[in-house]
Amino acid sequence: EKVKYYFERMVGTIISLVAPVSLLIFCIPHLFIKLLAGSKYLSAVPILQTVVLFSFLRPFSYQFGATMDAIGKPKINFWVSLLTMCLNYGCMYIGLRYTGWMGAAYGTVVAAMTAGMPGQRHGRRDSLRVMAAFYVLSALGCAFAWSWPALIVFRFIGGLGIGGSSVLGPMYIAEIAPPEWRGRLVGFFQVNIVVGILLAYLSNLWI
């Protein structure tokens, strides 16, 4: 009963906060693109609608997985997670195939698929230190890149850091956090990512 209660509260909160905004952006994407970027970017309307739809549905997969584990049905969680993983990587492949070389995106995909192995073998903390080194190397390399291929390589290295830390970060937080703070701290990790992406977009808007 408690699991059902908390699940309903979480889903209700997500729907009440996210659904109105997502529906508004999905229905009138032209207006938002004109306001934020200008008319020359109207060709990005399908991309914006896809991102909004994915962003609306994504939180439910986390809540579903946590609930299935809590009520003792990990097999259902496994098969649903496997299906969503295949769909995610299929969409990534299609997007990368038709948008060309984006070093960070390829690095993120590779690291997200493989970061669990070094994390399991060498520990989450040491693996996250390597990811931090990737971040620093990528930032310096992109800032002082001497050619386009060099920029792509350093972007790929940054993508490795992004993909690896997005997998290992929540795992490490969940391991070291007190039980009563675990959910909030892992959630705060996700909030930091979203806020960081928002600030990056805002900075690009005024460049």
Side-chain angles (χ1 to χ4, degrees):
E1 286 296 324
K2 286 186 176 180
V3 173
K4 180 182 178 182
Y5 170 72
Y6 285 118
F7 179 73
E8 290 176 349
R9 284 194 61 183
M10 288 185 292
V11 172
T13 302
I14 292 172
I15 292 176
S16 62
L17 294 176
V18 178
V21 178
S22 299
L23 182 62
L24 185 64
I25 297 175
F26 189 83
C27 292
I28 49 174
H30 297 79
L31 176 61
F32 285 93
I33 289 181
K34 286 181 180 179
L35 290 175
L36 296 175
S39 300
K40 62 180 179 179
Y41 291 101
L42 287 176
S43 59
V45 165
I47 298 175
L48 176 61
Q49 290 177 315
T50 303
V51 171
V52 168
L53 182 62
F54 180 80
S55 301
F56 175 68
L57 296 175
R58 184 60 178 165
F60 294 102
S61 65
Y62 289 112
Q63 307 302 339
F64 178 84
T67 302
M68 288 298 103
D69 285 339
I71 64 177
K73 295 184 178 180
K75 289 184 179 180
I76 296 177
N77 187 22
F78 171 77
W79 289 111
V80 172
S81 299
L82 182 63
L83 176 62
T84 54
M85 182 190 73
C86 293
L87 290 174
N88 286 337
Y89 286 122
C91 292
M92 287 180 186
Y93 173 77
I94 294 172
L96 294 173
R97 182 186 179 100
Y98 290 102
T99 54
W101 276 93
M102 298 185 296
Y106 284 105
T108 302
V109 172
V110 171
M113 295 177 65
T114 59
M117 291 183 285
Q120 187 72 23
R121 185 178 182 85
H122 304 290
R124 282 47 150 164
R125 184 174 61 178
D126 291 338
S127 298
L128 284 171
R129 287 172 176 167
V130 175
M131 301 303 133
F134 284 159
Y135 276 116
V136 174
L137 181 61
S138 173
L140 294 175
C142 290
F144 300 102
W146 54 90
S147 64
W148 174 251
L151 178 64
I152 293 296
V153 170
F154 286 113
R155 291 272 294 168
F156 179 83
I157 295 173
L160 292 177
I162 294 170
S165 61
S166 65
V167 172
L168 297 172
M171 296 170 65
Y172 184 59
I173 293 172
E175 288 176 351
I176 65 173
E180 63 272 16
W181 282 90
R182 189 172 297 143
R184 277 173 280 187
L185 291 176
V186 173
F188 193 64
F189 174 86
Q190 303 294 337
V191 171
N192 284 338
I193 294 175
V194 176
V195 172
I197 294 173
L198 175 62
L199 293 177
Y201 283 147
L202 291 177
S203 67
N204 289 338
L205 180 63
W206 290 305
I207 290 179

